[in-house]
């Protein structure tokens, strides 16, 4: 079994990434050969640039939170990066989580699922470049979920994730299924 970690990239109050991640976890449950674990960056204390060494050149971490983050990420065979698009980019919280490590990401597969008022395409493109720089294998398919006013409540949260994105469920499952392949064919 391949262990896939679904990483919620936003830590903002009022975010909807947690709602979308829950729906992705439900969709993923039926994919053979894969197990899924939800990782919420909101639950991880990762101060900005607090390790004194570059993780690529010196992966000996001085802080317990980085060592624990490293251990968590090493346990994954692949990842689903769930990212909103903020000002045409992905959140600093996700970039910081990626930049805390290097070797733990190398050679692993990834799927990017983005969301935003235009589907988060710009954020996904930028994140893809960073994943390639980490020598990861991002899937070609990068589903983007469009946030339309009618799917959002007055509080900005999704009224029903399954209803809002029902037409994208098969695309999400197909993208997630690529994580069962070897990196060279993903």
């Amino acid at each position: 079994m391949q262990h896939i970690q679904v990483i919620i990239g936003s830590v903002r109050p009022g975010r909807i990434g947690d709602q979308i991640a829950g729906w992705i976890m439900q969709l993923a449950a039926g994919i053979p050969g894969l197990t899924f674990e939800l990782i919420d960056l909101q639950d991880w204390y990762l101060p900005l640039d607090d390790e004194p060494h570059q993780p690529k050149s010196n992966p000996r971490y001085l802080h317990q939170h980085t060592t624990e983050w490293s251990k968590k990420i090493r346990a994954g065979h692949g990842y689903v990066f769930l990212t909103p698009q903020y000002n045409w980019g992905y959140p600093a919280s996700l970039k910081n989580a990626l930049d805390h490590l290097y070797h733990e990401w190398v050679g692993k597969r990834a799927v990017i699922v983005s969301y935003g008022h235009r589907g988060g395409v710009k954020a996904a493109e930028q994140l893809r470049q960073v994943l390639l720089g980490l020598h990861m294998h991002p899937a070609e398919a990068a589903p983007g979920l469009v946030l339309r006013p009618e799917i959002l409540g007055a509080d900005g949260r999704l009224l029903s994730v399954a209803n809002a994105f029902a037409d994208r469920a098969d695309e999400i499952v197909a993208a997630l299924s690529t994580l069962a392949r070897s990196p060279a064919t993903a």
Side-chain angles (χ1 to χ4, degrees):
M1 284 289 232
Q2 298 289 305
H3 184 65
I4 307 303
Q5 296 173 329
V6 178
I7 300 175
I8 303 173
S10 175
V11 298
R12 276 189 179 175
R15 68 199 173 135
I16 60 172
D18 57 327
Q19 293 180 283
I20 298 171
W23 176 66
I24 289 172
M25 294 294 286
Q26 289 174 356
L27 294 175
I31 300 174
L34 299 175
T35 61
F36 289 84
E37 172 188 12
L38 187 60
I39 297 176
D40 189 342
L41 291 182
Q42 202 169 56
D43 298 335
W44 287 87
Y45 175 71
L46 298 171
L48 187 63
D49 293 331
D50 73 329
E51 287 289 341
H53 307 291
Q54 292 284 336
K56 181 177 183 179
S57 59
N58 187 356
R60 290 179 302 166
Y61 306 118
L62 299 182
H63 299 293
Q64 182 177 351
H65 56 262
T66 309
T67 302
E68 290 172 3
W69 180 238
S70 171
K71 181 179 178 183
K72 174 59 76 176
I73 295 306
R74 274 196 322 265
H77 297 110
Y79 310 93
V80 176
F81 293 101
L82 176 61
T83 183
Q85 180 169 297
Y86 297 154
N87 300 320
W88 284 29
Y90 62 96
S93 52
L94 181 51
K95 179 69 165 120
N96 183 51
L98 289 164
D99 287 350
H100 260 75
L101 310 174
Y102 177 80
H103 297 280
E104 296 84 348
W105 303 115
V106 172
K108 295 189 181 175
R109 295 158 289 148
V111 166
I112 300 167
V113 178
S114 60
Y115 58 95
H117 293 286
R118 291 188 176 90
V121 176
K122 297 288 187 191
E125 289 171 355
Q126 291 173 18
L127 180 53
R128 180 178 175 73
Q129 290 175 1
V130 170
L131 299 183
L132 289 170
L134 289 168
H135 302 284
M136 295 181 76
H137 303 280
E140 288 299 318
L145 306 174
V146 177
L147 301 179
R148 301 174 316 278
E150 64 271 13
I151 67 172
L152 299 170
D155 61 355
R157 304 270 293 163
L158 293 162
L159 297 172
S160 167
V161 181
N163 290 339
F165 306 124
D167 61 332
R168 306 306 298 275
D170 290 343
E171 181 184 4
I172 299 275
V173 170
L176 297 177
S177 296
T178 67
L179 294 169
R181 301 181 195 147
S182 68
T185 60

